[in-house]
DNA sequence: TTCTTATTGAGAACTCATCTCAATATAGGC
DNA sequence: GCCTATATTGAGATGAGTTCTCAATAAGAA
């Protein structure tokens, strides 16, 4: 009963636009970027493409402090966290064995199961804090 | 130029309703609870009260995976994190020196300043996973 | 009590995101 | 290459959550 996936230029355009951005971007930003680059792509399609890419683990997805969903293409398939610049969106991928172990231990200790965790850091990167002076 | 804060029964009602709930609740849930308890309080007022209490650090505030803002009254004034039950909203407060040190070190290492971090865990608590069987 | 003005509340407005459904375009079969 | 079934698209409607507007209200000082 699995749906057959078709390849459309829209999905590919989203993938490329994401790949060309080192920063986390919102679906709306991505849509604007694509439109201004000449692609007549619909906003709904961008959302759908992002959701499908996220499900395939081709992109990282996180919630900004403002409540928006942010996306970034992600080559490394394994679990990791981010340090994100509030100003320019630039992100550093973080390995965090320490944190993984800590969360697992704490969850077990309190009898919680099916535990997922959100570990993200937001700050101002060196370039942005330099340029704002 | 500081605004003078006035004490209203509405703000107090929100504070009490929050204090009586051991779980994280959304603004809307809190409003429904207050209304069903007989308080003719406006939704906008609940949002404003929560925002102002959050600013005074009287309540904890976090984003649920679904993108809602959740609130819980918080006596302990110091920084901490949570392990929250997806099903009933029950939360365990977590001390995490390990994590604090790790985030500080990582931020410094990458030249980020004014760093805040989000560390929250969502799972199913022992009671909820037992009652769902 | 009176006056100033912070606060309230009903609804409008806003944002982000998802859904609807007719039109389109892809991929497999001929 | 052409046809056909159907996955996908896109414009706009819809929905959820939150904030804003502004006239009416009420807290606190004089």
């Amino acid at each position: 009963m699995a749906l057959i996936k078709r390849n459309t230029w829209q999905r590919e355009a989203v993938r490329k636009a994401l790949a060309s951005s080192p920063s986390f971007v919102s679906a709306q930003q991505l849509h604007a970027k694509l439109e201004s680059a000449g692609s007549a792509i619909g906003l709904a399609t961008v959302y759908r493409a992002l959701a499908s890419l996220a499900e395939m683990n081709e992109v990282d997805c996180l919630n900004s402090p403002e409540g928006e969903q942010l996306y970034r293409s992600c080559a490394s398939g394994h679990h990791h966290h981010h340090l994100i610049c509030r100003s320019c969106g630039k992100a550093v991928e973080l390995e965090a064995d320490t944190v993984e172990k800590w969360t697992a231990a704490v969850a077990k200790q309190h009898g919680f199961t099916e535990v997922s965790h959100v570990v993200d850091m937001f700050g101002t990167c060196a370039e942005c804090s330099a340029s704002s002076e």
Side-chain angles (χ1 to χ4, degrees), chain A:
Chain A
M1 224 24 205
L3 294 197
I4 298 160
K5 284 267 177 184
R6 290 180 182 176
N7 294 323
T8 61
W9 65 264
Q10 287 95 334
R11 196 188 303 274
E12 203 51 38
V14 168
R15 213 193 303 258
K16 276 188 184 156
L18 263 182
S20 77
S21 165
S23 309
F24 272 87
V25 291
S26 67
Q28 321 238 8
Q29 286 174 325
L30 207 58
H31 178 237
K33 184 175 171 182
L34 284 162
E35 281 215 314
S36 72
S39 298
I41 190 173
L43 178 57
T45 303
V46 174
Y47 274 103
R48 277 185 291 236
L50 288 172
S52 110
L53 289 171
E55 199 174 358
M56 294 189 288
N57 289 316
E58 284 196 38
V59 302
D60 282 336
C61 172
L62 63 83
N63 286 55
S64 78
E66 289 76 33
E68 263 182 317
Q69 304 247 98
L70 301 179
Y71 301 86
R72 199 181 79 139
S73 75
C74 164
S76 74
H78 59 291
H79 181 73
H80 57 263
H81 300 286
H82 293 100
L83 169 57
I84 301 119
C85 176
R86 258 188 288 264
S87 168
C88 68
K90 189 177 71 177
V92 180
E93 294 199 2
L94 304 172
E95 298 296 325
D97 280 354
T98 322
V99 176
E100 305 304 327
K101 281 173 190 149
W102 177 78
T103 55
V106 168
K108 188 172 182 182
Q109 178 190 337
H110 290 92
F112 277 60
T113 52
E114 300 171 80
V115 176
S116 65
H117 60 268
V118 179
V119 176
D120 289 306
M121 304 168 61
F122 295 89
T124 309
C125 74
E127 286 85 45
C128 285
S129 60
S131 65
S132 70
E133 273 163 20

